[in-house]
Amino acid sequence: SQFRTVQELTPRRRARAFWDKPSSSRRPLMCSPTDFGANGASLGFKHLSRIGANGKRATRPCPCGYLGHYTNRCRCTPDHILRYRSRISGPLLDRIDLQLEVPAVPPEQLTGASSGETSAAIVGRVAQARALQLARQGRPNARLAARDVDKHCVTDRAGANLLANAIRRLGLSARGYHRVLKVARTIADLSGESQLQSNHIAEAVQYRRLERPTMVDR
């Protein structure tokens, strides 16, 4: 259900165990949802937005989990896939900045030598981008308020036109609009560029486009 999805997306942390009385057993307490997030009945979108922690969740692309697999093992119908993906509603997806599809890796690519960027190089770029954000605005891009987004996430004319088209075509909400700008600002920081450009906006928009299936590959 939708409520169960929100519960699983929200991190929780147990408080340090304590002795209520010398003769009682040790009982762990759950922290308040306003502090760390909890699986309590009062948990909602407000607490999901306030938890101040990054989270990641994964789901299968279809009920059987083999949609798009290189072995073509999926036999789910488009109706089953649409019904399965519709369990996650738009308001919840609107609060997830990066929405990516990760396909299965064929054996020839899995066993081959990797030519990508090393983890050490990526860590260096991320640390440099975070330091740049703190020096510019005193907080990471993810913690920018709406008025701060208008100040620090100004794009060029081509980027503004591209974002306007994305709002019309994808039906982005005000929250989605600001999150696209913050993700684009982070992409620009990772590239070491001070000005938001159309390519940064385009990449950020692509991270919010989980395509609904229209057909099943056999």
Side-chain angles (χ1 to χ4, degrees):
S1 65
Q2 187 66 49
F3 179 68
R4 182 181 181 89
T5 304
V6 176
Q7 286 181 322
E8 294 176 351
L9 278 170
T10 305
R12 61 176 181 170
R13 193 166 83 188
R14 290 184 179 275
R16 186 171 298 178
F18 76 104
W19 290 92
D20 186 24
K21 294 180 181 178
S23 59
S24 65
S25 60
R26 184 176 297 177
R27 298 185 303 171
L29 292 182
M30 299 304 298
C31 297
S32 169
T34 58
D35 294 333
F36 302 111
N39 284 354
S42 62
L43 177 63
F45 286 138
K46 180 180 70 173
H47 296 104
L48 183 63
S49 302
R50 292 176 55 187
I51 55 178
N54 297 326
K56 58 182 179 180
R57 299 299 300 174
T59 183
R60 295 177 294 179
C62 66
C64 74
Y66 288 103
L67 179 65
H69 199 271
Y70 57 87
T71 57
N72 295 326
R73 297 173 58 182
C74 178
R75 293 297 180 264
C76 301
T77 65
D79 182 64
H80 290 162
I81 298 172
L82 287 173
R83 191 182 310 117
Y84 175 77
R85 294 191 178 186
S86 297
R87 295 173 61 186
I88 302 180
S89 67
L92 180 60
L93 280 177
D94 202 29
R95 288 164 168 82
I96 301 177
D97 292 338
L98 307 180
Q99 305 167 16
L100 303 176
E101 293 187 5
V102 183
V105 181
E108 56 272 15
Q109 296 182 12
L110 187 62
T111 57
S114 176
S115 59
E117 192 175 7
T118 63
S119 298
I122 296 175
V123 168
R125 289 198 298 115
V126 170
Q128 185 177 2
R130 179 176 175 82
L132 180 62
Q133 296 169 20
L134 297 179
R136 181 180 59 234
Q137 63 222 11
R139 67 187 68 182
N141 294 332
R143 301 291 177 257
L144 289 177
R147 60 180 180 274
D148 298 323
V149 171
D150 297 334
K151 178 180 178 182
H152 299 290
C153 302
V154 180
T155 183
D156 57 5
R157 182 177 298 274
N161 294 335
L162 179 61
L163 186 55
N165 292 332
I167 293 174
R168 289 192 295 267
R169 295 184 60 182
L170 302 179
L172 293 180
S173 63
R175 180 184 293 108
Y177 166 78
H178 287 112
R179 293 198 174 214
V180 165
L181 283 176
K182 288 189 284 187
V183 171
R185 178 70 268 177
T186 301
I187 295 172
D189 292 339
L190 289 171
S191 302
E193 302 179 18
S194 58
Q195 175 67 36
L196 281 182
Q197 300 176 6
S198 59
N199 60 315
H200 305 140
I201 298 295
E203 184 176 351
V205 170
Q206 289 296 322
Y207 290 145
R208 298 186 68 85
R209 293 186 59 188
L210 274 181
E211 298 290 346
R212 297 294 182 182
T214 57
M215 62 179 296
V216 179
D217 296 332
R218 296 302 184 190

